Amino acid sequence: MSQETNPQPADQKLTGEMKMQEGEAKKQEEKKTESEKVPFGSRLTQRLFSINTAVILGAIAVALVLGALIVVIFNEDVQAAAGYLFAQPSDFFNAAGATFQSFFSSLFRGSIYNYQADSFAVGIKPLLETLTRSVPLIIAGLAIAVSFRAGLFNIGVQGQLIMGAFVGTVVGIHLHLPAGLHLIVAIVCAVVGGALWGAIPGFLKAKVGANEVIVTIMLNSIALLFLSWTLSQEFMKGDGSAGKSMYVANTAAYPSLLGSSYRLDFSFIIAILAAVFVWWLLERSTFGFELRAAGANPHAARTAGISVPRVIFLTLVISGGLAGLAGTAPVLGTEKFLTSATAGSYGFDAITVALLGKSTPLGTVLAGILFGALAAGGSTMQAAAGIPVDIVQVTQAIIVLLIAASEAVQYYRNKRKVAARASAGVKKEAAK
């Protein structure tokens, strides 16, 4: 007895395949729509957090080697020996090797330990100078890190640092309070000054959706122009010349940690405490959870009942407050007066510091110390080995470029993998 079969009609099979393809297309569209809901800033900052530590360390090592090679190429002795390279190659390689070695030896002697010093007290001075120069970079880097974790780009840390330094200087000059209390009041006022300057882009971003990058860049220029104007006024310059403020009172200055022979002061302890505060804020507080959630996906955070505008406003206020605190390091510590050049490029260097530190408190501290070492070593490199101090900026730029290049390669590699998987899936479904 033969068993009859009832094969599926061709048109019904074709209809099933079409429905399956429509279902797959719908899923892909849903995934795409979901990814597009996450703002570009949030997606970019998430990629910053996912940078491999080995990539960062490798970029630093390669950047130092490339910086040394640049110094070798432009060294006059090396260039002179290259003129008769084939006649006497040993002169060229000896000059190149000596220049290459002097780059690292002078950097070590200027930032970690001067092994040519007569005593340990003098030899350890470069390390303490590294820590001193790292203080504003660490605190400003923490300000950037907080905004990064919320998916915001606070490019205005430079302006907030200037305003904090200005307010701290005014309080340090014109208020007359007992020692200790005067310093605390000056620090608090500097933090408030930076926070209020950060509240402006925070309010505009939260209420009307203004781009924080554009607003903060404009506020940087306003802060610098305001500072230049105030330094020409009598209440800042006193009987001195325009462009430089009076000295802050000794009662408002950071006390030295290791005596007058070293520049390291209590501001370094403040920087470490600021890092602990940022760690607690981000990892242990309720607001820190809301901040991280809003940074990862504002739409999902809003669905969960989190007030994203509130998080944006408070994040930029806190970031501005930290930037204002960074401004106290020079005006209440190492310099004790204010000029238009006091802020330097701390606010912009802090972006790289936060990038290298992956926007974590510990990473930011270590990255700030690294940049402090480069700054301290740069002076010795120029004085002892005749190496231009600008090579420090070149090295920092190479670090950023290498990290960006590695991320670009990783991005396109992942994109190619996704495309290959999608193509394989289509072929698999077609075969069925």
Side-chain angles (χ1 to χ4, degrees), residues 286-312:
T286 302
F287 177 74
F289 171 78
E290 295 177 348
L291 184 152
R292 288 183 285 113
N297 192 327
H299 299 281
R302 191 176 291 108
T303 303
I306 297 174
S307 175
V308 175
R310 169 180 165 271
V311 170
I312 290 173

Side-chain angles (χ1 to χ4, degrees), residues 50 95 106 117 147 193 201 215 269 424:
S50 62
S106 58
S147 65
V215 174
I269 305 299

Side-chain angles (χ1 to χ4, degrees), residues 147-229:
S147 65
F148 274 178
R149 296 295 289 270
L152 301 170
F153 290 89
N154 184 12
I155 311 300
V157 164
Q158 182 77 6
Q160 294 149 17
L161 188 151
I162 289 173
M163 296 307 295
F166 166 74
V167 175
T169 302
V170 171
V171 173
I173 292 173
H174 294 290
L175 278 188
H176 303 284
L177 298 171
L181 178 61
H182 196 180
L183 174 60
I184 293 173
V185 172
I187 293 173
V188 171
C189 289
V191 171
V192 172
L196 290 175
W197 206 248
I200 298 173
F203 177 81
L204 294 175
K205 174 74 172 180
K207 292 300 182 182
V208 298
N211 188 293
E212 73 275 12
V213 175
I214 297 174
V215 174
T216 51
I217 288 176
M218 291 191 295
L219 287 173
N220 284 342
S221 299
I222 294 173
L224 183 59
L225 293 171
F226 173 76
L227 176 62
S228 299
W229 175 78

Side-chain angles (χ1 to χ4, degrees), residues 10 27 34 51 56 71 79 128 162 172 179 194 203 207 224 235 246 277 330 346 372 384 392 402:
K27 289 180 181 179
E34 189 66 28
I51 298 175
I56 295 176
V71 171
Q79 291 177 348
L128 300 179
I162 289 173
F203 177 81
K207 292 300 182 182
L224 183 59
F235 79 96
M246 294 180 284
F277 165 74
Y346 291 137
V392 172
L402 289 174

Side-chain angles (χ1 to χ4, degrees), residues 60 63-64 67-68 103 374 390-400:
I60 294 171
L64 289 173
F103 175 89
L374 291 174
D390 295 333
I391 195 64
V392 172
Q393 300 293 332
V394 173
T395 304
Q396 294 174 359
I398 293 175
I399 293 174
V400 176

Side-chain angles (χ1 to χ4, degrees), residues 14-31:
L14 181 61
T15 303
E17 290 179 356
M18 291 176 63
K19 288 182 178 180
M20 188 177 296
Q21 291 178 2
E22 289 177 358
E24 289 294 327
K26 188 176 180 181
K27 289 180 181 179
Q28 293 293 333
E29 189 66 26
E30 288 177 355
K31 289 181 180 180

